[in-house]
Each structure stands twice: as C-alpha cells, then as structure tokens.
C-alpha cells in the first residue's frame, strides 16, 4: 500500500482501482473542462500571510452549518453514482462522515437509497433533491426524507438541462451501462471492484427504482430520467419545495449575485456557490472567483457555502476567509472511496482537517471562527 499524504495520492489510487467509465464520470467536466480546471487552479492563485510568534495552542476548526455542529466547515457533497465508485459507496461515506463529525449529503441519483442510509447510520443526514416534472414523485421523495429524519434538504438548481461531458459519451456511460468490449476488458483489470460489487445487491438508483411510477429497473429508469429533469424550474417551484419540506432548505448552484438575492429572498437557510464542479456550464467562472461578490450581497441574510475545486484544507481555509461559512467536497471524497472504501473517505477527511488546522496556525489563528480575509495577501484573491 502506498503512503497516502494528500488528496492527489488518493486520486491516483482511485484511478487504478475504479472502472474507467465510473472514474471518468466523477473526474470530468463539460465540454473543454475549462471551468472544471479553473475551480481548482484559482485556489492556487490566492496567497496566505504567514504570521509568527503567536501562541498556537488549543486550536479549534469547529463551527456550525445550518445549526449542525461540525468538526470543520466541510460537508460531503451529493455525488451521483457514488455506489459505483465502490460497493455500497454512499453507506460507507455516510458512516465515515458521521464518525468524523461532519454532515453527509445523499444525491437523488445515488445507488444506495434514503432508507439504506438511515438504517446504516442512525444519524440525521442531508438529502439533495433534483426537481423532476413528476411532482407527485417529488412529494413522495420529500416525505421519505422526513421519515428518514433528514435534517436538511438541498435543492439543486443548475440541472434543468444536462451539460455534455464528452468522456461519458465515449465511455458508453448510460443507464444501464453499455457492455462494450472496451468496458468489459477494463472491468477485467479491476478485480477488487468487481468482487465488491458482487457482494452487494445495490446496483441501481435506489431512490428511484421501485419508488417512481413506471420505473421498475435500470432500463425503464433511463427513459424516465431523460424526460423528467424539469427545464421549467423557477422560483415558484422553490417555494413549493419549501412548503412541502418545512425544514432547513439549502439552494445549490448559485453563481450570480442576482440569483443569490432571489435565493435569499426565497427564505433559504443556506445557498451553495457552485458550478456543479464544472460539469454544467463550461466557460463559467470558478466557484471561488464568484464567492466574494455573493457573500457581500447576501452574506448577512443567509449562510453562504461553496463547492468546486477543493482539494486541500488550505482551500477550505481560503474559502472561509472569503466568507464561505461552509464548503462541500465531492471529488475529494470520491477519490478516497474509490481508493480505499470507508477508510479512504476517513483518510480524505483527516488530510483536509490536518491541512486546515496547521495552515490556520501558520496564519496566526487558533479559532476558525476568528479567521477573516486578513489572512490573505491583498491582490491575490477575487474582490
């Protein structure tokens, strides 16, 4: 086993162990992948101010996200097909998050179901909802979240239409996946993954198959999802979800100040500055570039979080310094899961936390809640 010291080490190991079509699904962006790359690269442009001769004892990275105590301002982002990165992937990630002390968010397009996560963790988790045309199905899904004791609902707003990711088309990633010769040969090189998948019954979209009218298997699901992502989604629909849910509501996919103002006015408890990991609108700015203006516009009215490009605890600290009161990690979690299962997710969280803690100390702080943009070198971060 190689020595794992950072998120990149986990990525390299995951690439070796996860079938190509599923690794590429997570590790790709739309079209030229320019926005996908910028999400990560723009963090590197931001420079930190090192401070010395400061008492660095008794440090704490703890804070709260929509009323939930968290060990650090990080939650696991909703990632579709997580259960194809590793058998029972969502369950394993949720367990790792619970043990570490951060929230887990389950995707609508997960392999393990809402009920699977509730049974496996016995802890409140968050659920991410995609708006579908079938409002009865949406209402039933929201009711299932209530029954599972979900503590927040995260409504994703930027998937009214689906961005094209060239790798998915070339890999034949469909529902169910196409059994091309290339895919079969690649699977033969992944015995660890195949053995794990042979040992679980969870191979389809657990939140949809058997729960949505007319969807009984993966083949019927494909036709349903192609028709169901709702291009008509608008702010009245957000209000409908808020009324149906009645609990903490997070709106994900905000990249524009005007949309942030509308989101704050909608009564959301938090918004996520997010370009869907560069998987939707290629050519959009990075999330970290968009963050400061949105914080300035609505940060006093609603919790502002961000995701996209976070590969280190330093990235988390930079986002916090620019006003994000929380961050979401998707790929960093997926790399750990694909590399080493639950232990890999735990390792990813440990890496991020240590990097966050040590960097905070070098910047002269012992309490995360006291950190602001004064830790950043002027002129290196977006205004």
């Amino acid at each position: 086993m190689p020595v794992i010291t950072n998120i990149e080490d986990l990525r390299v190991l995951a690439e070796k162990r996860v079938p190509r079509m599923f690794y590429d699904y997570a590790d790709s962006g739309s079209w030229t992948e320019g926005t996908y790359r910028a999400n990560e690269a723009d963090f590197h442009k931001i420079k930190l101010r090192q401070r010395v001769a400061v008492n660095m004892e008794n440090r704490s990275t703890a804070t709260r996200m929509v009323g939930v105590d968290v060990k650090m301002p990080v939650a696991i982002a909703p990632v579709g097909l997580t259960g194809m990165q590793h058998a029972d992937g969502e369950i394993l990630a949720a367990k790792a998050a619970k043990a570490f002390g951060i929230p887990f968010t389950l995707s609508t397009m997960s392999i393990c179901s809402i009920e699977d996560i509730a049974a496996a963790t016995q802890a409140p988790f968050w659920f991410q909802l995609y708006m579908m045309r079938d409002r009865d199905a949406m209402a039933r899904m929201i009711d299932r979240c209530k029954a599972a004791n979900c503590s927040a609902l995260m409504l994703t707003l930027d998937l009214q239409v689906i961005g094209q990711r060239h790798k998915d088309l070339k890999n034949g990633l469909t529902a169910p996946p196409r059994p091309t010769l290339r895919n079969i040969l690649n699977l033969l090189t992944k015995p660890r993954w195949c053995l794990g998948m042979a040992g679980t019954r969870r191979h389809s979209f657990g939140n949809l198959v058997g729960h949505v009218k007319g969807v009984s298997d993966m083949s019927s699901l494909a036709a349903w999802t192609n028709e169901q992502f709702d291009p008509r989604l608008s702010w009245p629909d957000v209000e409908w979800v808020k009324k149906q849910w009645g609990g903490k509501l997070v709106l994900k996919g905000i990249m524009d100040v005007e949309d942030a103002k509308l989101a704050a006015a909608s009564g959301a408890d938090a918004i996520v500055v997010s370009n869907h990991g560069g998987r939707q609108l290629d050519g959009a700015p990075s999330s970290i570039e968009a963050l400061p203006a949105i914080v300035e516009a609505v940060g006093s009215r609603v919790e502002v979080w961000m995701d996209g490009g976070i590969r280190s605890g330093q990235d988390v600290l930079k986002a916090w310094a620019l006003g994000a009161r929380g961050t979401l990690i998707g790929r960093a979690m997926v790399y750990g899961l694909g590399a080493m299962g639950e232990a890999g997710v735990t390792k990813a969280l440990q890496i991020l936390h240590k990097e966050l803690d040590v960097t905070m100390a070098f910047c002269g702080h012992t309490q995360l809640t006291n950190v602001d943009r004064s830790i950043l070198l002027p002129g290196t971060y977006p205004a």
Side-chain angles (χ1 to χ4, degrees), residues 305-321:
W305 306 344
M306 66 82 60
D307 72 9
I310 292 173
R311 301 292 186 273
S312 73
Q314 289 200 336
D315 296 339
V316 174
L317 188 68
K318 290 172 181 178
W320 177 277

Side-chain angles (χ1 to χ4, degrees), residues 134 136-137 140 208-216 220 224 228:
D134 187 340
D136 287 339
R140 289 194 301 274
L208 301 176
V209 174
H211 293 283
V212 175
K213 191 180 302 181
V215 178
S216 58
S220 54
W224 185 84
Q228 281 296 322

